[in-house]
Amino acid sequence: MAPVLSRSIATASLAALPSLTALNAKRGSALRSAFLPPQHGPIKCFHPLKWNQRQQRTNKRVSVRCEAAVAEKEDATDDAPGEKFEYQAEVSRLMDLIVHSLYSHKEVFLRELVSNASDALDKLRFLSVTEPSLLGDAGELEIRIKPDPDNGTITITDTGIGMTKEELIDCLGTIAQSGTSKFLKAIKENKDLGADNSLIGQFGVGFYSAFLVAERVVVSTKSPKSDKQYVWEAKADSSTYVIREETDPEKLLRRGTQITLYLREDDKYEFSEATKIQSLVKNYSQFVSFPIYTWQEKSRTVEVEEEEEPKEGEEPQPEGEKKKTKKTKTEKYWDWELANETKPIWMRSPKEVQKDEYNEFYKKAFNEFLEPLAYTHFTTEGEVEFRSILYIPGMGPLNNEEVVNPKTKNIRLYVKRVFISDDFDGELFPRYLSFVKGVVDSDDLPLNVSREILQESRIVRIMRKRLVRKAFDMIQDLSESENKEDYKKFWENFGRFIKLGCIEDSGNHKRITPLLRFFTSKSEEELKSLDDYVENMGENQKAIYYLATDSLQSAKTAPFLEKLVQKDIEVLYLIEPIDEVAIQNLQTYKEKKFVDISKEDLELGDEDEVKERETKQEFNLLCDWIKQHLGDKVAKVQVSKRLSSSPCVLVSGKFGWSANMERLMKAQALGDTSSLEFMRGRRILEVNPDHPIIKDLNAACKNAPDSGDAKRAVELLYDTALISSGFSPDSPAELGNKIYDMMALALGGRWGRSEEEGDADASVDEADSNTGEAATAEAEVYEPSEVITESDPWTTD
C-alpha cells in the first residue's frame, strides 16, 4: 500500500507521461520536511543521533547527515552585511510532535492508512490506462485488513501501485512529503484534464499516524516496474529506518503494499480486536470506492454424526455396532467480510435516488428508527464545490441540551468520501439549526494537516451560508406542502429552535419569520403564520399586536384584550418563554411594527379625540387622588383606552420589562436582583371610566377624599389589577387579608347566624375597636340589608 507519504510514481512510470519526468528532479532527502525552507549544501551537525544516507543525483553524490539542530554560518555575499542562518530539524522531535500533538484521536491511524491504500489503487488505475501491463495478473483492486490479537499486530494490504526502492527512500524517508501531492502536481503540469482528481492524502504526515498505536512499523512493497520487493522498517522512538530486499518466498507480493503494525502494549488489546477494526472502517472509510475486506470471526451450522450414548440399564454396544445419529452444531470460523457495502448516495444524481433509499440511508447513518420529515439533496458548484444531503428528523430532542449545545454530531463531514469528523462547534451550522442532520462531502475543504479541525476561512463561511440557505428552503417547502400535519409535527418538535434563530441570526430574519407559528385571539385551536395574520388585518390596522403570558388560558382572559376584541383586532398569543424575546428582536414584519398591548401608549387608530379630552378632564381629579394614595407603587394613573369590562389594568412602561418578562427574569436561578429592579420599569394604572367601581371612586374622591373605606378600596383595586395584569404581588398574605375583610363585609349575617355567634363576633369587633387608634371615631354599625346593594353579586335569579 502506498501511504500518504509514500505515494509517488516510479520514475519509469512517470516517464510514460510527456511532462511527468519533472518528478525525477530533486528528490527530497531523508531529513527534509515540507515545513522547512529549502536547503543548500551538506548539513553539519554534532549531536550523537545518527541518520546517514547517501543518494546518487545526476552524477553528484550529496551526503546528508543530521544529528541535531544547528545553525551554520555562511559567507555573506549579499550587499547587506550580516550572517545567514538556516533552520534545521531534529527528526526525533518532529516525529514526537506528529505522534503526540497532531492528531486528536488515536483511532484515525486506520483512516489515514486506508486512505493511502485507496490512493495507491487510484494511481494504478490511472496509470494502467496508458500502460495496461501494470495490472498484470495480480488480482483485483482491493484492500484487506487483518488484525492478529495473539501477536498484537494489524496488517493492511492493498493491490495498488506499490513502490520501488527509490520511492521508499524518497517518500517514507522524508517526513511530511506527500507522494500524492507530487502525483497531482505532475498531472496538472501535464495538463491531463481527464485525470481522476479523487486522491485523498495530500498532507504528507498521514503515514506516520501509524506510530500513534504502533511501536514498530514494517512496510513491504512490490512495484510492477521493479522485479524486487523491498521492506522498509522503523521504530517509533528511533530517528533511523532500514530498507532491505525481501528474500523470503512466502512473504512475496504479486503487486502492492503491505503494512504491518506492531501495536504498543496499551493499545494492543483495543485495536487488535476484529470488531473494533470493523467499526472503524465503517465509521471512517465506509464510502471508499474500493472494496475493503476485514478478517472476521463468523459462525455456521453444520451437521455431524455422533455415536449414541447407551441409556441407563442398557449394556454398552461394541465399537463397531454403536448407533450413530446426526446432530447440528454451530461452529466458529474466520473469513474475509466486505466492510463497505453501503454506497454514497450523495454521489448519485437526485433524480436517480428514490425516497425509500434516502430514508434507509438516514436510518443507517444516524441510527434512527423514525423516517425523516423532509430531506434535500443538492450539489453546489463554483468557487466552493460540495455535495450534501440534509434531513429534518422525525422527532425532536428529549431535552433542551441540544438547543444550548451546538456539538450535536448531527453533521458528518467527508472529504472525498472519507469521514473526517462530526464534532464541530458551529462552523458548518448555527446553533439554532443544530437539529438538522446530514452529510457534507467536499473535495477541496481547507482542513489542517490532521484533517480533523476545520479551519476558519472564506470558503468555510461560504459553505456555511449555502448549507443554511438550503436548510431554510427545505423547511419552507415543508411548510407549504399539502400535508399540514408534517409541518405541525415539525413545529411541535423544533419550533423553539426557529425562535432562537430570531435572536441569534438577524441576517436571516426574512427566512425565519415566515416559518413562525402562533395562537391568536381569532385562532385559539390552530397555529397561525404571520403571513395569514397580515393578510387578515383591517385596512386601518397599522401594527401587529401581541400579548405575552404564561399560558393560553391566561392570554384569553387577560384584560388587555377587551377593547381590541371588541374592535375585531387580532392579537398574537406568545405563551412560550422564548416568544417575547424573539418577537422583540424581529421588530417589524412586512413594514408592520410589533406592538405589545400590555404596555403604555397603545394606539388603536380610531380614537375620538374630543371624547377622550372630555373624559380625561372629568377623571383628572380621580387619577391624581389615586396616584397620591398609591405613591411610588405606580408611575402615574390615567384613563384607559383598552378596557371595556374591567375596572382597571396595570400596564408597563414603553421601555421596561413587561409583566411576563419580569416573571421570567425573577425565575432565573442566577438572576441579578439589582438589574431586576432597574429593568422593571414604570407601572402605570389605567382606569376604565365606564365601570361602576371607578365612577363610585370618582364620587368618593370629590365628596369624601379622606374616607378610609375608599382608600382601602383603592388599595384592593391596585392589588387586584396587579394579579390580573400578570404581575406578582409584593405580599400575597397581605392581599389575602384584604380579600377576607371584603368577604366578611359582604357575607356578614346573610344566612342568619345564631345570636351567640353574633354576640361573640360583636365583642371581638368591640375589643378590636377599643385597641385601635385613640383618635378614631366610634365605628358605625350597619345591618346586613344595608350593605347588600341591588347589584349584589351573591344574589341569584
Side-chain angles (χ1 to χ4, degrees):
M1 176 181 64
V4 173
L5 291 175
S6 64
R7 294 187 297 275
S8 64
I9 305 305
T11 303
S13 301
L14 294 177
L17 300 175
S19 64
L20 292 185
T21 54
L23 288 177
N24 290 330
K26 292 187 178 180
R27 184 177 293 111
S29 71
L31 286 176
R32 296 310 301 150
S33 168
F35 302 125
L36 303 181
Q39 176 181 305
H40 308 283
I43 305 171
K44 297 180 180 179
C45 305
F46 308 100
H47 195 275
L49 296 177
K50 299 294 183 182
W51 184 312
N52 298 325
Q53 175 185 329
R54 294 183 181 273
Q55 296 184 10
Q56 184 73 27
R57 292 186 181 177
T58 62
N59 298 327
K60 290 184 180 181
R61 296 187 66 83
V62 180
S63 176
V64 180
R65 182 182 63 193
C66 181
E67 290 148 1
V70 299
E72 180 182 357
K73 180 179 178 181
E74 295 184 0
D75 295 334
T77 57
D78 297 339
D79 296 336
E83 297 179 353
K84 284 186 177 180
F85 294 87
E86 289 191 0
Y87 294 101
Q88 307 299 328
E90 184 179 337
V91 177
S92 59
R93 178 58 181 156
L94 184 58
M95 181 70 76
D96 182 70
L97 288 173
I98 292 174
V99 172
H100 296 101
S101 303
L102 197 59
Y103 293 93
S104 303
H105 306 284
K106 285 185 176 183
E107 62 186 28
V108 300
F109 81 92
L110 192 64
R111 178 193 69 189
E112 297 295 319
L113 296 179
V114 169
S115 298
N116 297 343
S118 174
D119 281 359
L121 294 167
D122 262 322
K123 288 179 185 180
L124 178 62
R125 185 169 57 181
F126 172 71
L127 294 174
S128 65
V129 175
T130 55
E131 288 188 66
S133 60
L134 293 176
L135 289 174
D137 58 350
E140 300 292 331
L141 301 180
E142 63 184 18
I143 303 169
R144 292 183 182 268
I145 306 172
K146 185 174 183 179
D148 185 353
D150 297 332
N151 297 318
T153 63
I154 301 174
T155 303
I156 304 169
T157 307
D158 70 76
T159 56
I161 188 63
M163 288 175 284
T164 62
K165 181 178 180 180
E166 289 77 13
E167 288 169 342
L168 276 175
I169 297 172
D170 190 23
C171 295
L172 296 193
T174 305
I175 294 179
Q177 176 171 303
S178 173
T180 297
S181 297
K182 272 190 174 184
F183 184 74
L184 291 175
K185 183 179 179 182
I187 292 174
K188 189 175 181 181
E189 290 175 354
N190 192 44
K191 297 180 181 179
D192 190 342
L193 301 179
D196 183 9
N197 190 24
S198 62
L199 299 178
I200 300 168
Q202 300 177 36
F203 296 115
V205 292
F207 168 76
Y208 293 99
S209 66
F211 290 105
L212 291 170
V213 296
E215 59 184 7
R216 183 163 65 99
V217 176
V218 177
V219 180
S220 183
T221 181
K222 170 70 169 60
S223 171
K225 285 294 183 179
S226 175
D227 295 333
K228 297 180 179 180
Q229 179 175 325
Y230 294 95
V231 178
W232 181 97
E233 184 174 348
K235 293 184 178 180
D237 56 353
S238 174
S239 57
T240 63
Y241 63 92
V242 175
I243 296 180
R244 56 182 171 81
E245 183 180 343
E246 182 61 75
T247 57
D248 188 348
E250 295 183 359
K251 297 181 179 179
L252 293 180
L253 303 173
R254 289 189 291 176
R255 182 191 67 229
T257 303
Q258 183 178 85
I259 294 182
T260 303
L261 309 181
Y262 293 85
L263 301 176
R264 302 173 188 267
E265 286 297 326
D266 53 346
D267 298 316
K268 183 181 299 183
Y269 299 102
E270 179 181 2
F271 292 108
S272 63
E273 287 295 327
T275 53
K276 179 67 175 181
I277 296 297
Q278 180 89 338
S279 66
L280 290 179
V281 171
K282 287 185 176 294
N283 187 38
Y284 287 104
S285 307
Q286 186 177 17
F287 303 110
V288 169
S289 54
F290 296 97
I292 303 174
Y293 295 93
T294 60
W295 190 246
Q296 296 292 317
E297 185 181 25
K298 300 182 179 181
S299 61
R300 60 190 171 193
T301 303
V302 295
E303 285 189 352
V304 294
E305 288 187 350
E306 291 185 354
E307 295 179 349
E308 280 191 357
E309 295 292 333
K311 298 180 181 180
E312 293 184 5
E314 292 184 357
E315 295 182 1
Q317 298 288 333
E319 287 294 330
E321 299 180 5
K322 286 185 177 180
K323 294 182 179 179
K324 295 184 178 181
T325 58
K326 289 185 178 181
K327 293 184 178 180
T328 58
K329 277 189 174 182
T330 301
E331 66 175 13
K332 302 288 185 179
Y333 70 101
W334 290 84
D335 196 3
W336 294 105
E337 181 178 321
L338 184 63
N340 56 338
E341 294 177 330
T342 307
K343 302 301 180 184
I345 64 173
W346 63 80
M347 301 299 294
R348 297 159 57 186
S349 171
K351 297 178 181 179
E352 301 174 358
V353 187
Q354 302 298 322
K355 181 179 179 180
D356 293 340
E357 294 180 271
Y358 284 117
N359 293 344
E360 182 182 358
F361 174 77
Y362 168 75
K363 292 178 180 179
K364 284 185 177 180
F366 299 100
N367 295 322
E368 293 283 346
F369 61 94
L370 291 178
E371 293 185 354
L373 289 176
Y375 62 85
T376 179
H377 181 186
F378 60 93
T379 302
T380 63
E381 298 178 351
E383 56 183 333
V384 178
E385 297 184 3
F386 64 91
R387 298 170 181 265
S388 179
I389 302 178
L390 302 179
Y391 294 92
I392 296 177
M395 183 176 67
L398 299 178
N399 50 45
N400 291 329
E401 183 179 351
E402 292 190 17
V403 181
V404 298
N405 182 14
K407 293 187 177 182
T408 56
K409 298 185 180 296
N410 285 342
I411 299 298
R412 295 176 61 85
L413 175 64
Y414 292 81
V415 172
K416 297 176 181 176
R417 303 176 307 282
V418 175
F419 174 67
I420 300 301
S421 179
D422 58 2
D423 188 13
F424 301 113
D425 192 8
E427 291 94 345
L428 293 179
F429 266 98
R431 181 171 67 153
Y432 68 92
L433 288 178
S434 60
F435 64 89
V436 176
K437 298 186 177 184
V439 295
V440 180
D441 189 358
S442 173
D443 287 348
D444 53 358
L445 202 60
L447 305 174
N448 73 346
V449 289
S450 70
R451 302 206 280 183
E452 296 168 12
I453 305 172
L454 199 60
Q455 300 297 305
E456 181 63 28
S457 67
R458 183 178 60 88
I459 294 179
V460 176
R461 290 194 294 271
I462 295 174
M463 193 171 179
R464 170 189 167 113
K465 188 176 181 181
R466 293 185 180 178
L467 286 171
V468 170
R469 185 184 306 164
K470 288 293 184 180
F472 275 122
D473 291 344
M474 174 174 56
I475 299 173
Q476 186 66 36
D477 292 342
L478 184 64
S479 68
E480 296 173 356
S481 65
E482 296 180 358
N483 190 352
K484 301 298 181 184
E485 288 298 319
D486 285 347
Y487 193 76
K488 184 178 179 181
K489 188 184 298 184
F490 165 81
W491 188 253
E492 290 174 356
N493 291 326
F494 308 109
R496 63 186 183 278
F497 287 79
I498 302 300
K499 294 171 185 176
L500 182 63
C502 298
I503 303 170
E504 295 188 342
D505 192 358
S506 58
N508 279 310
H509 276 178
K510 290 185 178 179
R511 293 188 176 94
I512 294 174
T513 315
L515 304 176
L516 299 176
R517 298 291 185 271
F518 300 99
F519 292 108
T520 71
S521 57
K522 292 184 178 180
S523 180
E524 298 176 355
E525 302 294 332
E526 188 174 347
L527 292 166
K528 202 169 187 179
S529 68
L530 292 178
D531 288 329
D532 293 337
Y533 179 96
V534 173
E535 187 178 346
N536 295 331
M537 286 173 55
E539 295 181 1
N540 298 326
Q541 186 175 340
K542 299 180 180 179
I544 300 175
Y545 299 104
Y546 70 87
L547 175 64
T549 62
D550 60 344
S551 67
L552 184 61
Q553 183 61 31
S554 61
K556 292 190 289 186
T557 56
F560 306 103
L561 287 170
E562 294 172 356
K563 190 60 71 72
L564 285 91
V565 172
Q566 198 175 62
K567 292 177 177 292
D568 197 34
I569 296 176
E570 193 171 14
V571 179
L572 299 177
Y573 292 157
L574 311 185
I575 58 177
E576 292 188 359
I578 196 175
D579 288 353
E580 186 174 1
V581 184
I583 290 296
Q584 288 174 352
N585 277 269
L586 292 176
Q587 296 183 349
T588 61
Y589 180 63
K590 291 187 175 180
E591 300 181 354
K592 305 288 185 181
K593 286 187 177 181
F594 288 97
V595 175
D596 187 350
I597 65 172
S598 69
K599 292 193 174 183
E600 65 174 324
D601 298 336
L602 178 65
E603 299 292 339
L604 300 179
D606 57 350
E607 290 81 3
D608 188 343
E609 294 183 1
V610 176
K611 185 177 180 181
E612 283 183 12
R613 194 181 308 113
E614 293 176 352
T615 304
K616 188 175 181 181
Q617 290 177 354
E618 181 182 353
F619 287 89
N620 261 346
L621 182 61
L622 173 65
C623 293
D624 293 340
W625 180 69
I626 295 176
K627 173 65 176 76
Q628 183 180 6
H629 182 67
L630 294 178
D632 294 336
K633 292 181 179 179
V634 294
K636 64 178 178 179
V637 181
Q638 62 187 22
V639 176
S640 178
K641 295 181 290 185
R642 72 187 88 207
L643 297 176
S644 61
S645 58
S646 299
C648 63
V649 70
L650 201 62
V651 301
S652 304
K654 185 179 295 186
F655 302 106
W657 282 339
S658 65
N660 182 66
M661 185 60 67
E662 186 176 324
R663 175 182 60 83
L664 293 175
M665 297 309 294
K666 280 183 177 179
Q668 299 300 312
L670 301 177
D672 186 1
T673 55
S674 59
S675 64
L676 177 66
E677 190 64 29
F678 174 76
M679 287 300 298
R680 187 169 65 175
R682 306 186 308 162
R683 293 177 180 178
I684 300 165
L685 183 65
E686 293 188 356
V687 296
N688 181 7
D690 298 326
H691 197 279
I693 294 178
I694 301 303
K695 290 180 178 179
D696 288 343
L697 288 177
N698 190 31
C701 79
K702 293 178 180 178
N703 302 326
D706 298 327
S707 171
D709 291 339
K711 292 179 179 179
R712 284 196 299 272
V714 168
E715 291 180 359
L716 186 60
L717 194 71
Y718 169 77
D719 290 336
T720 308
L722 199 69
I723 296 176
S724 64
S725 302
F727 295 95
S728 300
D730 296 331
S731 177
E734 187 177 345
L735 172 60
N737 290 332
K738 293 176 182 178
I739 296 175
Y740 296 152
D741 291 342
M742 295 296 291
M743 291 179 65
L745 185 63
L747 298 178
R750 170 182 292 273
W751 293 285
R753 288 180 298 177
S754 62
E755 292 183 0
E756 290 81 3
E757 292 175 344
D759 294 341
D761 291 342
S763 62
V764 172
D765 293 340
E766 185 177 354
D768 291 341
S769 62
N770 291 335
T771 58
E773 298 180 3
T776 56
E778 185 176 354
E780 299 182 25
V781 179
Y782 294 91
E783 293 294 331
S785 59
E786 296 177 4
V787 176
I788 299 173
T789 61
E790 294 180 358
S791 59
D792 182 9
W794 297 93
T795 305
T796 55
D797 296 336

